[in-house]
Amino acid sequence: MLNRVSRVALSLVALALIVTACRHGGARQTVDIGTYLGGEAKLVAAEPVFAEHGMVASNSALASAAGAEIMQQGGNAVDAAVATGFALAVTYPFAGNIGGGGFMNIAMADGRTAVIDYREIAPLAATRDMYVDPATGKLTNKSVVGHLASGVPGAVAGMTEALAKYGSLPLAKVMAPAIRLAREGFVVDSALARSLRGNRIVPQFAGKTLFYPNGEPLAAGTRLVQAELARTLETIAAKGAAGFYTGEVADALVAKMQRGGGIITHEDLKRYKAEWRTPIRSTYRGYTLLTMPPASSGGITMTETMNILEQFAPLPRFGSTGYTHLLTEAFRRAFIDRNEKLGDPAFVKVPLDQLTSKTYAKSLAAGIDRTHATKTPAFKVAAEPEHTTHYSVADAKGNVVSTTTTLNGGYGSGVWIPRAGFFMNNEMDDFAAQPGTPNMFGLVQGEANAIVPGKRMLSAMAPTIVLDSEGKVLLVVGAAGGPRIITTTTEVVLNVIEHRMSLADAMRAPRLHHQSLPDTLRYEDGAFSDAVADSLRAMGHSLQRTGGLANANGIMRVNGGWIGVREPRSSGGAVGY
Ligand code: DON
């Protein structure tokens, strides 16, 4: 049963930003942030939801309800997270997936902590320069659209593995709500309808028959039944991960790749393995942060940022020139390291201990000029040889799960697997497809993240868990939005533990983003006053007003239960009992 604690009216904010990532040589790839927010274009009330026992906050109220249903049937937070993950693949096809991958961060009430990395990997036939046009030397769009854009999916391996190790219910039981939603259908809401209307990629591929019947996008209010996806989910429910990586589903996937010029083979699928890793454990003013290690950059970059900020006590107030400047300079320094030094730890030596150390942060903090912006140095490549969705889950025992999963771009590569009924990711674009050239998020990355067969592409996903000074869970949070995942997740955490905001206020508060290159501070309306903007410009910051920086879903422990808040800028729902 849901109790709505409060509803806060906010003025509507237009979120019509187009981020333009300039490809080498002038070809341009644009990422519409409105699209990343599920097609929503308004900031609406945050709708914090209170529940005594368990809570799920995700970008689909139906998927959150699937997780809550499983907890009410006796499942724990991991059972609920897996139920929500599979349900998102049905009700939020924009980003929820079985054709993509993600990261899950688990903290059990008995003190066990773990993270599972089910990031996609480059197919065995991938090559370093596969997206560079040999004639022009310029980067093509093939890492973004079409059959070559996909990494080998990890979602099914990751979710089934997490369930086997930390769940308490059988896979078939946990998947039942997702199967029901696919088989019986659900009513298309305005967010899904709007995102289909705005999509230019899906209509080019086989998914158009389902999502664009008679050539028109599904309208809000129609029922979407996904019989092929239901069959695929039933096969997975019966056979486990083998039902995806071998057999009919694998056959359909490989056949589609072969027909369309893709390179994923049966061998790629058979070899895929999710990896258990140790969470990065760091502290910030007495709180403990559990964050995601590589192959995501999320945890290192958040930790480095917060370690730098910890050197300044107390931080200036939210919205002030001083605070905005320090946050920007901390993000800048952490992203410089991220973009140059991080990659899949199976392929590159990641200086994790150094980058997450307080001593290192102290030296970086000492280099911050309190009155002038530092310019980001040009990227030193020569010196070296969307769409996503986050959901948070908490159960009655205090187990929590923070999961981010993605197809990368909205509907991934656009390629839909006939007979199996799902979209493939376009995660290959997260590699530095041409080191030194911006990817679709404008990230300029180096050799550490170059393409190698079998390698995981560097991610920014940052599913995070924050413990209070007694070691009890305080926050479960994360976001979608490429590199803006890192800045938004850090800001939500800071808003709660540094600025003492409620979770609803912390999520609603206007956001900032700086990723070192481009050397621009992006900010949402209301992040600071015009006077502060003038001061920041005078200090040397280049400012760009933008809308909808990232899409977060979070849970906070409060007296007697949990508060869940879904992204106020987008669609979704927090559902508890
Ligand atoms: O792993 C990453 O960092 C990206 N593939 C995430 C993409 C993303 O968040 C897009 N959408 N909102």
Side-chain angles (χ1 to χ4, degrees), residues 222-275:
T222 47
R223 179 166 285 272
L224 173 59
V225 173
Q226 298 175 77
E228 293 179 337
L229 179 57
R231 213 158 69 96
T232 296
L233 294 175
E234 282 160 358
T235 307
I236 297 167
K239 299 186 175 158
F244 181 86
Y245 292 94
T246 61
E248 279 174 33
V249 176
D251 290 346
L253 194 162
V254 171
K256 179 75 181 111
M257 287 292 128
Q258 284 169 353
R259 284 198 302 275
I263 54 174
I264 296 177
T265 62
H266 279 293
E267 180 63 16
D268 281 311
L269 293 173
K270 261 190 244 145
R271 286 167 60 128
Y272 185 84
K273 208 173 149 298
E275 299 285 351

Side-chain angles (χ1 to χ4, degrees), residues 31 33 35-37 94-95 101 103 119-120 295-297 338 386-389 404-410 426-427 429-430 439-441 443 457-462 479-486 550-551:
V31 179
I33 302 298
T35 307
Y36 281 117
L37 294 170
F94 185 52
F103 297 88
R119 181 67 159 169
E120 300 89 329
S296 182
S297 63
R338 176 211 182 274
E386 243 147 283
H387 187 80
T388 307
T389 187
T404 315
T405 180
T406 188
L407 289 169
N408 196 24
N426 59 349
E427 220 70 64
D429 194 67
D430 272 352
N439 75 354
M440 74 185 215
F441 297 108
L443 280 171
M457 55 296 283
L458 185 64
S459 173
M461 288 189 268
R484 297 175 301 273
I485 290 172
I486 295 172
N551 186 331

Side-chain angles (χ1 to χ4, degrees), residues 108-143:
M108 303 298 282
D110 62 11
R112 286 176 298 159
T113 59
V115 298
I116 184 159
D117 170 340
Y118 47 99
R119 181 67 159 169
E120 300 89 329
I121 57 173
L124 292 168
T127 58
R128 180 192 160 89
D129 295 326
M130 61 190 280
Y131 302 115
V132 179
D133 181 335
T136 63
K138 289 181 184 163
L139 206 47
T140 64
N141 215 19
K142 291 184 181 157
S143 63

Side-chain angles (χ1 to χ4, degrees), residues 496-516:
V496 171
I497 66 183
E498 180 83 33
H499 301 295
R500 302 280 152 190
M501 294 185 198
S502 69
L503 181 59
D505 284 346
M507 301 257 302
R508 200 168 47 219
R511 296 169 182 163
L512 310 173
H513 179 72
H514 198 292
Q515 61 185 44
S516 80

